[in-house]
Amino acid sequence: MTMSPSVPVDDMPPPARLALDRWTWKELAHLLANLPMAIVGFLYTVFMIGIGVALTVTVVGLPLLAIGLHGERLVGRVERGRARSMLGVRIDEPSPMVLARAEQGFFPWLWSSLKDPVGWRTALYSFVRLPWGVLTFGVMAVSFFVLWPVLPFIARVLGNVDRAMVRGLLAPSDELERRIAELESDRGVVVDTAAADLRRIERDLHDGAQARLVALAMGLGLAKEKLTDDPEAAARMVDEAHGEVKVALQELRDLARGIHPAVLTDRGLDAALSAIASRCTVPVTVTVDLPARPAEAIEGIAYFTVSELLQNVSKHSAARSATVDVWRTADRLMLQVTDNGRGGARMDGGTGMAGLAERLGAVDGLFVLDSPAGGPTTVTAELPWRDRGQNPDSGRDRGDRGRVRTSPAERS
């Protein structure tokens, strides 16, 4: 399964003990470095933020404040890196600042910079760190010479306070920021997938139907020249051209089916998945239990996901039978493809599983592969359910519930 963790995971240190272990030395170094780092952060914040706020009544005040908030992001990045290396705090980087485009002008840029919550939280962190840095430096300096037997426990308590500060003020503010980062990554996957599909369609048209139609045009041209001199040869060439037309039409139908099959548009997932199952090399049982048809985009992704999985069953599984189940649970569309083959499928096994997982992740879906050696292999896919828009063909949706189809191989 490929998904991004929504909550960062901390590499928590072991319980404190009397011995000065690796974690204690790291915490000591971090706490002693708090004072110089806090002084630098405090001076920067007072100079850039304080002066910027004080000069807001002038022309230079707000631009200086905006530049100061950009710098606070760099301060926060340094502090997060220090906390990761010394305290083991694993937190995500906040999402980049969403700035107005240059062509929109200076004031939109200024406004988007001034309302940056990450910069303001980092400024607050820099303010509170100075007294805390003085306290931790003094306590650790004294404890190192006077209270060294319990030094690990003191370092752990103060280190935990530092961890709480970093998580509270320097971590992404809420789930929304993490979601923005995920959507930015998913957008790249969608763009790459669309570009790959366009290249595939162009290649299929150029190497298949286009080449055949060119040959057909040349054949008809030769037949036209021979029509008066050798009618029998011209008739044979026209007959061959007729056969080429049929093959070209079939290739165009196959290409159109690969883009978006007509049966899916007209009759929904039940009929479309049954058509896929009929072309599989092993008997496939298809069960679709949906109260209505989902949105066109979700329906198309579900169709091509099952199509790819059944191709893998035909090529790699050595299975004797397979099943496809489709149902709805709350606001999710569930797909499950199972075969009784030899198993051992992996996400990096060259069967397109990783690509399917990326495509599903791009639309907020999930992909789970369970394939122990010896089988069976079960792939479960989950997609967000979106209701289909009203259209003239909505009456056809009623026939898509609770039916079981089998492929011709199984019926025979």
Side-chain angles (χ1 to χ4, degrees):
M1 177 172 60
T2 59
M3 68 171 84
S4 300
S6 59
V7 179
V9 179
D10 293 341
D11 183 11
M12 293 301 296
R17 52 180 183 167
L18 294 177
L20 296 178
D21 57 9
R22 176 176 64 92
W23 277 103
T24 300
W25 285 113
K26 282 188 172 185
E27 288 171 333
L28 284 173
H30 184 274
L31 293 169
L32 291 174
N34 272 350
L35 182 57
M37 295 298 296
I39 292 174
V40 173
F42 183 82
L43 290 178
Y44 174 83
T45 301
V46 169
F47 179 76
M48 296 298 293
I49 306 299
I51 295 179
V53 171
L55 296 179
T56 51
V57 295
T58 67
V59 176
V60 299
L62 291 179
L64 183 63
L65 181 59
I67 295 172
L69 290 173
H70 281 271
E72 289 290 354
R73 278 182 166 260
L74 298 179
V75 174
R77 183 180 302 174
V78 172
E79 287 295 325
R80 281 188 294 272
R82 195 165 68 96
R84 279 192 290 265
S85 61
M86 307 301 289
L87 298 179
V89 178
R90 307 298 179 188
I91 56 176
D92 297 332
E93 289 291 329
S95 58
M97 186 185 299
V98 180
L99 296 176
R101 296 190 299 273
E103 61 268 18
Q104 292 179 339
F106 170 74
F107 290 103
W109 171 86
L110 180 64
W111 173 245
S112 61
S113 300
L114 292 177
K115 65 179 183 179
D116 177 31
V118 176
W120 286 110
R121 289 202 317 272
T122 307
L124 177 60
Y125 178 86
S126 298
F127 270 113
V128 302
R129 291 294 288 182
L130 182 60
W132 176 250
V134 173
L135 176 64
T136 56
F137 185 87
V139 171
M140 297 313 299
V142 173
S143 301
F144 195 82
F145 295 101
V146 179
L147 301 174
W148 63 266
V150 294
L151 185 61
F153 299 95
I154 297 176
R156 180 57 49 80
V157 172
L158 297 179
N160 285 338
V161 175
D162 260 328
R163 292 183 179 95
M165 284 187 182
V166 172
R167 294 191 195 102
L169 293 176
L170 298 184
S173 58
D174 51 26
E175 186 66 23
L176 179 59
E177 287 191 7
R178 284 189 288 269
R179 183 62 177 154
I180 290 173
E182 291 177 4
L183 290 176
E184 288 176 347
S185 175
D186 293 343
R187 180 180 60 185
V189 173
V190 171
V191 171
D192 293 341
T193 300
D197 289 340
L198 288 175
R199 288 194 299 270
R200 176 183 60 82
I201 294 170
E202 180 183 10
R203 184 180 63 251
D204 291 344
L205 284 173
H206 182 273
D207 298 340
Q210 178 178 335
R212 197 171 296 279
L213 289 174
V214 170
L216 174 62
M218 294 176 61
L220 288 175
L222 293 174
K224 181 180 179 181
E225 293 178 357
K226 292 180 176 293
L227 185 59
T228 56
D229 299 335
D230 192 353
E232 294 183 358
R236 288 195 301 269
M237 297 179 70
V238 170
D239 186 61
E240 293 175 359
H242 184 255
E244 289 290 326
V245 169
K246 292 182 178 179
V247 176
L249 287 174
Q250 183 60 44
E251 289 183 353
L252 289 174
R253 290 192 193 99
D254 293 339
L255 180 60
R257 186 184 297 114
I259 298 172
H260 196 84
V263 65
L264 179 63
T265 302
D266 295 337
R267 300 175 59 190
L269 277 175
D270 186 14
L273 296 183
S274 297
I276 297 175
S278 67
R279 298 192 296 269
C280 189
T281 59
V282 301
V284 180
T285 301
V286 179
T287 304
V288 177
D289 186 8
L290 296 177
R293 291 177 63 178
E296 290 86 346
I298 299 301
E299 192 175 61
I301 295 173
Y303 171 84
F304 288 109
T305 299
V306 175
S307 176
E308 181 72 21
L309 292 174
L310 288 183
Q311 287 182 28
N312 288 337
V313 171
S314 298
K315 295 177 182 178
H316 308 291
S317 69
R320 296 182 302 277
S321 64
T323 61
V324 176
D325 295 290
V326 183
W327 71 97
R328 178 182 177 180
T329 300
D331 60 345
R332 310 294 283 183
L333 175 63
M334 307 297 297
L335 313 171
Q336 190 169 80
V337 178
T338 304
D339 68 77
N340 58 2
R342 59 192 172 200
R346 303 190 312 274
M347 297 295 291
D348 57 350
T351 57
M353 296 289 188
L356 285 176
E358 288 183 352
R359 292 194 180 196
L360 291 175
V363 293
D364 200 22
L366 295 177
F367 187 85
V368 181
L369 172 64
D370 181 20
S371 182
T377 296
T378 301
V379 177
T380 303
E382 181 179 334
L383 289 165
W385 178 275
R386 292 202 296 268
D387 290 329
R388 196 178 189 88
Q390 297 295 326
N391 58 73
D393 297 331
S394 60
R396 297 179 182 175
D397 297 349
R398 300 188 188 98
D400 209 27
R401 176 182 176 87
R403 291 183 292 178
V404 178
R405 300 288 186 94
T406 59
S407 64
E410 185 177 7
R411 290 195 293 270
S412 61

